[in-house]
């Protein structure tokens, strides 16, 4: 008993140590918040970055922390998106925040059910099953067009004011602030999760499932739990995208979306939460740049970026993300590295 | 449409899928490399054939082997320059890399060939139907069944009877022991990879009529190739072959009887099979 108790308190202590806020993180969020004033003409792309970042955060939870490779994460994004769209379209839940939660929980339920399918087999089987589920949902959304609008998607979605106070304006300012707040809250939640003993056990599973189960971690249950939680995050991201663009379409389920998401996370780096956020910013900027250069063929350059990143080595790629803060820290005489990505997904 | 016609079309479709996917069965099942870009080689073969037949007026049957050779050369080139660096990397790296290749091939093809569907001008004697025991049989599909059937037998013979086949099987089962016996494992893998790409290109040329040929080919059929390989398992080529037939017949029957569900049938089949047998229908219990 006592040994167990000491252990538990030690784990808790170590988790608390990891959970402390560091100043670069504060700078990051202050910068994010100041975008509201800095770029008043770019609210649309900023909003997209915000929900993309949330979506990437969700993938990071399962890929970066638990080592589950998924090719069909768009399943939850699309599901959440359609859920939010249908709720608003039929005036079931008009208030955006509440609709967000409902859509998130709907995606979460889907995540829980499908997590049992994903737990079986090797990486390859996992890839196939996740991809299959996303395609299956896309096919369903396409065929049951009386509910989902088929290939046209759900159109004409009108949202009530947020919390009954702030209505969406045509410049997208309210939408962006709304997305940023949701992202921040969800980030805090994710941060709490990964720095808890539960989060530590996930890392143990990622690094060596066999060893993790040998020291008494219920591997399957933990994976199911995190998969379900990640589905909630992705569902909320999908709902946000629907609410801010007033559109839910089949694209939400597409393979491209899952693949792009992988790229977002890989650019930013896996396994340290900020990877998804930084990746989302860079990805959107790259996409913007490429699509102004070559409107029709931007995907070529995105593909090239992906190939180069893999050939150069992913772990080398996100070292740059640490380089700057480390440089500043060294200048001020501190030793400890900050926001260190903790290893890679297998 | 009778049951027999569905069966016939399904078998033709399935055999075509087998020729397209068997190269992937080798790279993914045997070499343990997740190559999502396999469809790009098939598309390359299809476009080579289309250009040769439509623009240069080459006979269809002369263009087919050229499609094979060009895709195989492309495969060999990419294997030597890019793929071989990734054999030892994680599945995630391989997935990302090959998705990148897919995106690049799709847009490059769009750039050079346009985004609309391309058709290959077939010779007259391949069009229309012939009557066999009162059953109307499409000539083109009959030709596919004959060619693909012969190819399958040839592949099985190469794998089981030739020196190269035994080297490949040895290299796959235990690369270290095989190289200890003097087998040049990287070379065997490179040749196999190129041959698989060539077959994909051949299948792409042959299948353009039935599957359609446009820049999104690699994305559209990626899932089908993957299903063939994962469902078929990797212990032999019989597994993928039977999986292809099952998939072909299932898809054609599904599209005929429950058109509302479309591809839904195939995805459900795949998920159910993978849950039931995570290593594939015919896979070894402890496959890597």
């Amino acid at each position: 008993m006592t040994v167990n108790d000491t252990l538990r308190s030690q784990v808790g202590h170590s988790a608390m140590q990891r959970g402390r806020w560091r100043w670069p993180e504060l700078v990051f969020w202050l910068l994010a918040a100041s975008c509201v004033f800095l770029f008043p003409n770019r609210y649309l792309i900023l909003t997209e970055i915000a929900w993309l970042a949330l979506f990437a955060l969700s993938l990071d939870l399962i890929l970066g922390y638990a080592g589950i490779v998924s090719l069909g994460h768009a399943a939850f994004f699309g599901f959440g998106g359609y859920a939010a769209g249908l709720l608003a379209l039929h005036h079931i839940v008009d208030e955006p925040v509440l609709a967000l939660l409902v859509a998130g929980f709907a995606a979460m339920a889907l995540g829980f059910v499908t997590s049992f399918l994903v737990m079986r087999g090797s990486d390859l089987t996992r890839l196939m099953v996740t991809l299959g589920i996303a395609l299956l949902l896309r096919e369903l959304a396409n065929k049951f067009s009386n509910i989902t609008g088929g290939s046209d998607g759900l159109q004409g979605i009108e949202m009530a004011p947020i919390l009954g106070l702030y209505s969406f304006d045509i410049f997208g300012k309210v939408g962006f602030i709304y997305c940023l707040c949701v992202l921040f809250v969800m980030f805090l939640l994710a941060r709490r999760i990964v720095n808890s003993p539960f989060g530590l056990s996930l890392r143990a599973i990622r690094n060596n499932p066999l060893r993790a189960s040998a020291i008494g971690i219920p591997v399957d249950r933990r994976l199911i739990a995190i998969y379900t939680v990640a589905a909630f995050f992705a569902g909320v991201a999908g709902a946000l995208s629907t609410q801010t663009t007033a559109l839910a379409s089949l694209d939400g389920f597409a393979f491209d979306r899952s693949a792009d998401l992988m790229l977002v996370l890989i650019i930013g780096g896996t396994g340290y939460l900020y990877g998804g956020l930084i990746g989302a910013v860079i990805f959107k900027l790259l996409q913007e740049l490429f699509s102004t250069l070559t409107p029709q063929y931007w995907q070529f350059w995105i593909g090239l970026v992906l190939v180069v990143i893999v050939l150069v080595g992913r772990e080398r790629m996100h070292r740059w993300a640490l380089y700057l803060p480390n440089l500043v820290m060294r200048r001020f005489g501190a030793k400890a590295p900050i926001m260190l990505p903790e290893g890679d997904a297998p | 449409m009778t049951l027999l016609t569905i069966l016939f079309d399904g078998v033709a479709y399935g055999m075509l899928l087998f020729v397209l996917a068997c190269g992937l069965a080798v790279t993914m099942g045997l070499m343990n490399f997740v190559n999502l870009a396999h469809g790009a080689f098939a598309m390359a073969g299809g476009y080579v054939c289309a250009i040769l037949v439509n623009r240069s007026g080459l006979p269809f049957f002369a263009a087919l082997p050229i499609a094979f050779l060009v895709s195989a050369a492309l495969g060999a080139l990419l294997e030597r320059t890019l793929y071989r660096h990734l054999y030892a990397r994680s599945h995630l790296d391989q997935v990302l890399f090959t998705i990148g290749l897919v995106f690049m091939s799709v847009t490059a093809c769009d750039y050079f060939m346009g985004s609309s569907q391309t058709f290959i001008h077939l010779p007259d004697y391949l069009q229309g139907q012939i009557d066999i025991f009162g059953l109307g049989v499409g000539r083109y599909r009959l030709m596919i069944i004959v060619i693909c059937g012969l190819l399958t037998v040839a592949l099985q013979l190469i794998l089981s009877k030739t020196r190269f086949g035994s080297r490949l099987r040895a290299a796959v089962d235990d690369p270290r022991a095989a190289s200890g016996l003097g087998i040049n494992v990287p070379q065997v893998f490179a040749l196999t990879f190129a041959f698989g790409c060539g077959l994909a290109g051949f299948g792409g040329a042959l299948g353009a009529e039935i599957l359609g040929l446009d820049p999104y080919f690699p994305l559209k059929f990626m899932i089908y190739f993957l299903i063939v390989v994962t469902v078929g398992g990797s212990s032999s080529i019989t597994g993928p072959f039977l999986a292809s037939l099952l998939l072909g017949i299932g898809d054609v029957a599904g599209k005929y009887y429950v058109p509302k569900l479309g591809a839904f049938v195939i995805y459900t089949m795949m998920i159910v099979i993978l849950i039931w047998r995570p290593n594939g229908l015919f896979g070894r219990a402890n496959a890597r």
Side-chain angles (χ1 to χ4, degrees):
Chain A
M1 266 315 271
T2 43
V3 176
N4 212 354
D5 280 347
T6 351
L7 244 173
R8 192 157 291 167
S9 79
Q10 269 174 1
V11 170
H13 182 70
S14 136
M16 278 225 314
Q17 284 281 314
R18 288 162 174 277
R20 264 203 326 234
W21 279 83
R22 296 170 175 91
W23 65 266
E25 296 187 76
L26 294 175
V27 172
F28 180 91
W29 286 105
L30 284 176
L31 272 178
S34 61
C35 285
V36 178
F37 310 105
L38 289 177
F39 309 104
N41 311 323
R42 312 303 303 271
Y43 287 135
L44 283 182
I45 189 171
L46 286 171
T47 311
E48 276 180 44
I49 290 175
W51 57 251
L52 186 63
L54 181 59
F55 192 21
L57 187 67
S58 155
L59 184 65
D60 199 14
L61 283 179
I62 61 163
L63 178 65
Y65 284 91
I68 303 173
V69 187
S70 165
L71 263 189
H73 210 52
F76 307 117
F77 183 85
F79 200 70
Y82 271 101
L86 289 171
L87 287 174
L89 210 60
H90 300 296
H91 302 289
I92 304 168
V93 181
D94 269 347
E95 201 284 310
V97 180
L98 201 61
L100 211 58
L101 284 176
V102 177
F105 283 120
M108 194 171 175
L110 180 71
F112 181 69
V113 173
T114 53
S115 67
F116 293 96
L117 315 180
V118 176
M119 288 311 124
R120 286 181 61 81
S122 56
D123 265 3
L124 196 60
T125 316
R126 252 177 218 178
L127 281 176
M128 290 303 299
V129 174
T130 47
L131 181 60
I133 291 167
L135 288 170
L136 210 121
L137 286 174
R138 185 177 187 279
E139 208 55 36
L140 279 180
N142 192 16
K143 297 292 172 184
F144 289 90
S145 49
N146 46 348
I147 304 173
T148 60
S151 53
D152 295 332
L154 294 175
Q155 287 169 348
I157 298 169
E158 275 180 46
M159 297 309 301
I162 301 163
L163 299 172
L165 297 172
Y166 314 100
S167 46
F168 288 99
D169 57 319
I170 50 163
F171 306 106
K173 185 176 180 180
V174 172
F176 172 57
I177 297 174
Y178 170 55
C179 279
L180 198 60
C181 290
V182 173
L183 174 65
F184 185 63
V185 171
M186 298 295 277
F187 181 84
L188 290 182
L189 191 64
R191 204 174 176 287
R192 186 73 192 84
I193 291 172
V194 302
N195 287 321
S196 68
F198 171 77
L200 293 181
S201 72
L202 285 182
R203 275 175 237 198
I205 293 169
R206 177 196 65 196
N207 292 339
N208 192 334
L210 204 62
R211 201 186 294 162
S213 73
I215 59 169
I217 298 173
V219 174
D220 275 6
R221 256 165 51 202
R222 293 286 153 93
L223 290 182
I224 287 171
I226 194 65
Y227 195 76
T228 309
V229 170
F232 176 75
F233 274 68
V236 171
L240 269 185
S241 112
T242 298
Q243 291 181 349
T244 50
T245 54
L247 182 79
S249 71
L250 287 180
D251 281 354
F253 288 119
F255 170 73
D256 301 35
R257 178 132 290 164
S258 299
D260 284 350
L261 184 70
M262 282 269 200
L263 177 58
V264 168
L265 191 58
I266 297 310
I267 292 177
T270 54
Y272 72 114
L273 291 190
Y274 284 94
L277 312 193
I278 297 170
V281 176
I282 299 175
F283 177 82
K284 271 290 164 201
L285 294 181
L286 276 181
Q287 197 188 32
E288 185 89 338
L289 176 74
F290 291 144
S291 55
T292 36
L293 288 178
T294 52
Q296 212 180 336
Y297 308 110
W298 61 271
Q299 233 179 6
F300 180 87
W301 302 105
I302 295 284
L304 188 67
V305 169
L306 209 47
V307 167
V308 169
I309 287 179
V310 175
L311 286 178
V312 170
R314 281 185 291 130
E315 55 292 345
R316 259 185 244 170
M317 270 304 294
H318 57 213
R319 233 171 256 165
W320 67 266
L322 304 174
Y323 180 72
L324 209 65
N326 271 346
L327 196 74
V328 179
M329 285 297 262
R330 223 173 292 138
R331 184 72 30 106
F332 289 104
K335 265 182 287 175
I338 29 177
M339 303 198 309
L340 188 70
E342 311 204 15
D344 258 346
Chain B
M1 200 141 92
T2 61
L3 194 67
L4 274 177
T5 321
I6 292 176
L7 207 62
F8 177 78
D9 281 2
V11 168
Y13 189 34
M15 282 193 159
L16 191 60
L17 278 180
F18 174 71
V19 171
L20 278 162
C22 66
L24 186 64
V26 174
T27 37
M28 205 153 97
L30 301 182
M31 288 151 74
N32 205 19
F33 185 97
V34 185
N35 182 15
L36 298 185
H38 189 73
F41 297 102
M43 179 176 70
Y47 274 106
V48 166
C49 183
I51 293 172
L52 287 176
V53 171
N54 296 357
R55 295 194 191 161
S56 319
L58 212 69
F60 182 64
F61 283 107
L64 282 181
I66 300 179
F68 174 89
L69 287 177
V70 172
S71 309
L74 195 65
L77 183 74
L78 283 178
E79 202 275 341
R80 284 290 87 184
T81 50
L82 298 175
Y83 275 87
R84 70 192 180 113
H85 300 296
L86 291 151
Y87 285 148
R89 302 273 275 277
S90 67
H91 278 152
L92 180 62
D93 274 342
Q94 297 168 353
V95 164
L96 294 169
F97 172 76
T98 48
I99 288 178
L101 284 188
V102 169
F103 281 172
M104 287 168 75
S105 68
V106 165
T107 34
C109 186
D110 192 343
Y111 181 77
F112 288 111
M113 304 298 298
S115 60
S116 56
Q117 197 154 33
T118 305
F119 295 94
I120 297 175
H121 297 315
L122 290 177
D124 292 336
Y125 54 85
L126 281 178
Q127 290 169 6
Q129 290 193 334
I130 48 170
D131 203 61
I132 300 177
F133 305 122
L135 181 71
V137 164
R139 288 182 185 185
Y140 194 76
R141 286 188 164 75
L142 188 64
M143 179 205 73
I144 284 183
I145 290 185
V146 171
I147 291 184
C148 293
L150 288 176
L151 255 178
T152 310
V153 174
L155 276 176
Q156 181 64 40
L157 286 179
I158 290 173
L159 266 181
S160 58
K161 299 280 190 247
T162 64
R163 197 178 172 77
F164 182 79
S166 47
R167 281 184 177 179
L168 176 62
R169 279 178 289 136
V172 159
D173 276 341
D174 192 339
R176 277 182 63 195
S179 62
L181 289 169
I183 296 173
N184 189 344
V185 176
Q187 196 186 43
V188 169
F189 278 170
L191 269 174
T192 314
F193 186 86
F195 190 72
C197 293
L199 277 180
F202 184 81
L206 207 55
E209 175 73 12
I210 291 177
L211 307 175
L213 190 61
D214 61 57
Y216 295 96
F217 187 91
L219 275 174
K220 262 198 303 200
F221 288 95
M222 183 179 79
I223 183 83
Y224 283 77
F225 304 153
L226 289 171
I227 294 174
V228 168
V229 178
T230 39
V231 168
S234 55
S235 47
S236 63
I237 67 164
T238 357
F241 181 68
L242 292 177
S244 308
L245 287 186
L246 195 69
L247 187 67
I249 296 170
D251 201 25
V252 171
K255 275 180 182 146
Y256 178 67
Y257 287 116
V258 273
K260 189 161 171 46
L261 290 179
F264 187 77
V265 179
I266 291 307
Y267 303 143
T268 320
M269 255 168 71
M270 175 193 77
I271 292 177
V272 169
I273 289 175
L274 283 181
I275 291 164
W276 174 43
R277 301 283 309 262
N279 291 315
L281 267 187
F282 311 97
R284 282 175 293 199
N286 56 348
R288 280 163 303 162

PDB file of all heavy atoms in Angstrom, chain A residues 156-172:
ATOM      1  N   GLY A 156     -26.630  26.958 -46.262  1.00  0.00           N
ATOM      2  CA  GLY A 156     -27.558  27.884 -45.615  1.00  0.00           C
ATOM      3  C   GLY A 156     -27.654  27.719 -44.108  1.00  0.00           C
ATOM      4  O   GLY A 156     -28.716  27.868 -43.517  1.00  0.00           O
ATOM      5  N   ILE A 157     -26.529  27.353 -43.511  1.00  0.00           N
ATOM      6  CA  ILE A 157     -26.533  27.189 -42.058  1.00  0.00           C
ATOM      7  C   ILE A 157     -26.432  28.566 -41.402  1.00  0.00           C
ATOM      8  O   ILE A 157     -25.526  29.338 -41.723  1.00  0.00           O
ATOM      9  CB  ILE A 157     -25.347  26.320 -41.616  1.00  0.00           C
ATOM     10  CG1 ILE A 157     -25.463  24.930 -42.232  1.00  0.00           C
ATOM     11  CG2 ILE A 157     -25.258  26.233 -40.105  1.00  0.00           C
ATOM     12  CD1 ILE A 157     -24.239  24.085 -42.080  1.00  0.00           C
ATOM     13  N   GLU A 158     -27.363  28.857 -40.528  1.00  0.00           N
ATOM     14  CA  GLU A 158     -27.308  30.136 -39.826  1.00  0.00           C
ATOM     15  C   GLU A 158     -27.163  29.896 -38.342  1.00  0.00           C
ATOM     16  O   GLU A 158     -27.898  29.101 -37.770  1.00  0.00           O
ATOM     17  CB  GLU A 158     -28.584  30.942 -40.098  1.00  0.00           C
ATOM     18  CG  GLU A 158     -28.494  31.744 -41.375  1.00  0.00           C
ATOM     19  CD  GLU A 158     -29.771  32.518 -41.612  1.00  0.00           C
ATOM     20  OE1 GLU A 158     -30.273  33.145 -40.658  1.00  0.00           O
ATOM     21  OE2 GLU A 158     -30.266  32.470 -42.752  1.00  0.00           O
ATOM     22  N   MET A 159     -26.206  30.572 -37.759  1.00  0.00           N
ATOM     23  CA  MET A 159     -25.954  30.355 -36.347  1.00  0.00           C
ATOM     24  C   MET A 159     -26.577  31.472 -35.521  1.00  0.00           C
ATOM     25  O   MET A 159     -26.586  32.635 -35.932  1.00  0.00           O
ATOM     26  CB  MET A 159     -24.446  30.322 -36.071  1.00  0.00           C
ATOM     27  CG  MET A 159     -23.697  29.204 -36.757  1.00  0.00           C
ATOM     28  SD  MET A 159     -24.418  27.567 -36.500  1.00  0.00           S
ATOM     29  CE  MET A 159     -24.337  27.468 -34.721  1.00  0.00           C
ATOM     30  N   ALA A 160     -27.056  31.090 -34.339  1.00  0.00           N
ATOM     31  CA  ALA A 160     -27.535  32.086 -33.384  1.00  0.00           C
ATOM     32  C   ALA A 160     -26.308  32.768 -32.767  1.00  0.00           C
ATOM     33  O   ALA A 160     -25.193  32.297 -32.927  1.00  0.00           O
ATOM     34  CB  ALA A 160     -28.358  31.392 -32.304  1.00  0.00           C
ATOM     35  N   PRO A 161     -26.501  33.900 -32.087  1.00  0.00           N
ATOM     36  CA  PRO A 161     -25.364  34.551 -31.426  1.00  0.00           C
ATOM     37  C   PRO A 161     -24.726  33.632 -30.392  1.00  0.00           C
ATOM     38  O   PRO A 161     -25.406  32.821 -29.770  1.00  0.00           O
ATOM     39  CB  PRO A 161     -26.008  35.760 -30.730  1.00  0.00           C
ATOM     40  CG  PRO A 161     -27.256  36.008 -31.481  1.00  0.00           C
ATOM     41  CD  PRO A 161     -27.716  34.699 -31.992  1.00  0.00           C
ATOM     42  N   ILE A 162     -23.403  33.771 -30.238  1.00  0.00           N
ATOM     43  CA  ILE A 162     -22.677  32.937 -29.286  1.00  0.00           C
ATOM     44  C   ILE A 162     -23.079  33.320 -27.868  1.00  0.00           C
ATOM     45  O   ILE A 162     -23.016  34.497 -27.494  1.00  0.00           O
ATOM     46  CB  ILE A 162     -21.161  33.126 -29.459  1.00  0.00           C
ATOM     47  CG1 ILE A 162     -20.761  32.747 -30.887  1.00  0.00           C
ATOM     48  CG2 ILE A 162     -20.395  32.276 -28.470  1.00  0.00           C
ATOM     49  CD1 ILE A 162     -19.422  33.269 -31.288  1.00  0.00           C
ATOM     50  N   LEU A 163     -23.484  32.330 -27.084  1.00  0.00           N
ATOM     51  CA  LEU A 163     -23.945  32.519 -25.707  1.00  0.00           C
ATOM     52  C   LEU A 163     -25.089  33.533 -25.644  1.00  0.00           C
ATOM     53  O   LEU A 163     -25.348  34.130 -24.615  1.00  0.00           O
ATOM     54  CB  LEU A 163     -22.789  33.000 -24.802  1.00  0.00           C
ATOM     55  CG  LEU A 163     -21.583  32.058 -24.684  1.00  0.00           C
ATOM     56  CD1 LEU A 163     -20.451  32.733 -23.934  1.00  0.00           C
ATOM     57  CD2 LEU A 163     -21.965  30.756 -24.016  1.00  0.00           C
ATOM     58  N   GLY A 164     -25.725  33.733 -26.786  1.00  0.00           N
ATOM     59  CA  GLY A 164     -26.833  34.687 -26.839  1.00  0.00           C
ATOM     60  C   GLY A 164     -26.387  36.131 -26.850  1.00  0.00           C
ATOM     61  O   GLY A 164     -27.203  37.045 -26.778  1.00  0.00           O
ATOM     62  N   LEU A 165     -25.061  36.378 -26.930  1.00  0.00           N
ATOM     63  CA  LEU A 165     -24.557  37.744 -26.795  1.00  0.00           C
ATOM     64  C   LEU A 165     -23.908  38.268 -28.077  1.00  0.00           C
ATOM     65  O   LEU A 165     -24.191  39.366 -28.529  1.00  0.00           O
ATOM     66  CB  LEU A 165     -23.518  37.816 -25.666  1.00  0.00           C
ATOM     67  CG  LEU A 165     -24.030  37.478 -24.267  1.00  0.00           C
ATOM     68  CD1 LEU A 165     -22.859  37.388 -23.296  1.00  0.00           C
ATOM     69  CD2 LEU A 165     -25.011  38.552 -23.811  1.00  0.00           C
ATOM     70  N   TYR A 166     -23.010  37.426 -28.663  1.00  0.00           N
ATOM     71  CA  TYR A 166     -22.213  37.915 -29.787  1.00  0.00           C
ATOM     72  C   TYR A 166     -22.665  37.222 -31.071  1.00  0.00           C
ATOM     73  O   TYR A 166     -22.567  36.015 -31.195  1.00  0.00           O
ATOM     74  CB  TYR A 166     -20.736  37.635 -29.560  1.00  0.00           C
ATOM     75  CG  TYR A 166     -20.277  38.008 -28.178  1.00  0.00           C
ATOM     76  CD1 TYR A 166     -20.134  37.037 -27.190  1.00  0.00           C
ATOM     77  CD2 TYR A 166     -19.995  39.334 -27.855  1.00  0.00           C
ATOM     78  CE1 TYR A 166     -19.715  37.373 -25.916  1.00  0.00           C
ATOM     79  CE2 TYR A 166     -19.581  39.678 -26.586  1.00  0.00           C
ATOM     80  CZ  TYR A 166     -19.441  38.698 -25.617  1.00  0.00           C
ATOM     81  OH  TYR A 166     -19.047  39.041 -24.369  1.00  0.00           O
ATOM     82  N   SER A 167     -23.132  37.986 -32.038  1.00  0.00           N
ATOM     83  CA  SER A 167     -23.511  37.331 -33.286  1.00  0.00           C
ATOM     84  C   SER A 167     -22.337  37.410 -34.265  1.00  0.00           C
ATOM     85  O   SER A 167     -21.513  38.327 -34.205  1.00  0.00           O
ATOM     86  CB  SER A 167     -24.754  38.000 -33.871  1.00  0.00           C
ATOM     87  OG  SER A 167     -24.607  39.380 -33.822  1.00  0.00           O
ATOM     88  N   PHE A 168     -22.271  36.399 -35.161  1.00  0.00           N
ATOM     89  CA  PHE A 168     -21.196  36.355 -36.152  1.00  0.00           C
ATOM     90  C   PHE A 168     -21.324  37.550 -37.094  1.00  0.00           C
ATOM     91  O   PHE A 168     -22.419  37.839 -37.589  1.00  0.00           O
ATOM     92  CB  PHE A 168     -21.290  35.064 -36.962  1.00  0.00           C
ATOM     93  CG  PHE A 168     -20.898  33.848 -36.177  1.00  0.00           C
ATOM     94  CD1 PHE A 168     -21.855  33.026 -35.604  1.00  0.00           C
ATOM     95  CD2 PHE A 168     -19.564  33.521 -36.019  1.00  0.00           C
ATOM     96  CE1 PHE A 168     -21.490  31.913 -34.881  1.00  0.00           C
ATOM     97  CE2 PHE A 168     -19.192  32.396 -35.301  1.00  0.00           C
ATOM     98  CZ  PHE A 168     -20.161  31.595 -34.730  1.00  0.00           C
ATOM     99  N   ASP A 169     -20.209  38.254 -37.336  1.00  0.00           N
ATOM    100  CA  ASP A 169     -20.273  39.400 -38.245  1.00  0.00           C
ATOM    101  C   ASP A 169     -19.680  39.005 -39.597  1.00  0.00           C
ATOM    102  O   ASP A 169     -19.057  37.943 -39.739  1.00  0.00           O
ATOM    103  CB  ASP A 169     -19.499  40.577 -37.652  1.00  0.00           C
ATOM    104  CG  ASP A 169     -18.062  40.207 -37.368  1.00  0.00           C
ATOM    105  OD1 ASP A 169     -17.814  39.069 -36.875  1.00  0.00           O
ATOM    106  OD2 ASP A 169     -17.183  41.018 -37.619  1.00  0.00           O
ATOM    107  N   ILE A 170     -19.880  39.851 -40.612  1.00  0.00           N
ATOM    108  CA  ILE A 170     -19.432  39.465 -41.947  1.00  0.00           C
ATOM    109  C   ILE A 170     -17.916  39.542 -42.091  1.00  0.00           C
ATOM    110  O   ILE A 170     -17.356  38.948 -42.994  1.00  0.00           O
ATOM    111  CB  ILE A 170     -20.086  40.341 -43.052  1.00  0.00           C
ATOM    112  CG1 ILE A 170     -19.939  41.810 -42.712  1.00  0.00           C
ATOM    113  CG2 ILE A 170     -21.524  39.965 -43.295  1.00  0.00           C
ATOM    114  CD1 ILE A 170     -20.175  42.708 -43.896  1.00  0.00           C
ATOM    115  N   PHE A 171     -17.235  40.234 -41.205  1.00  0.00           N
ATOM    116  CA  PHE A 171     -15.780  40.304 -41.312  1.00  0.00           C
ATOM    117  C   PHE A 171     -15.103  39.096 -40.672  1.00  0.00           C
ATOM    118  O   PHE A 171     -13.925  38.874 -40.853  1.00  0.00           O
ATOM    119  CB  PHE A 171     -15.245  41.579 -40.654  1.00  0.00           C
ATOM    120  CG  PHE A 171     -15.910  42.810 -41.178  1.00  0.00           C
ATOM    121  CD1 PHE A 171     -16.841  43.500 -40.417  1.00  0.00           C
ATOM    122  CD2 PHE A 171     -15.605  43.254 -42.457  1.00  0.00           C
ATOM    123  CE1 PHE A 171     -17.460  44.617 -40.918  1.00  0.00           C
ATOM    124  CE2 PHE A 171     -16.227  44.384 -42.964  1.00  0.00           C
ATOM    125  CZ  PHE A 171     -17.162  45.066 -42.192  1.00  0.00           C
ATOM    126  N   GLY A 172     -15.876  38.342 -39.895  1.00  0.00           N
ATOM    127  CA  GLY A 172     -15.336  37.142 -39.275  1.00  0.00           C
ATOM    128  C   GLY A 172     -14.545  37.397 -38.010  1.00  0.00           C
ATOM    129  O   GLY A 172     -13.847  36.526 -37.533  1.00  0.00           O
TER     130      GLY A 172
END
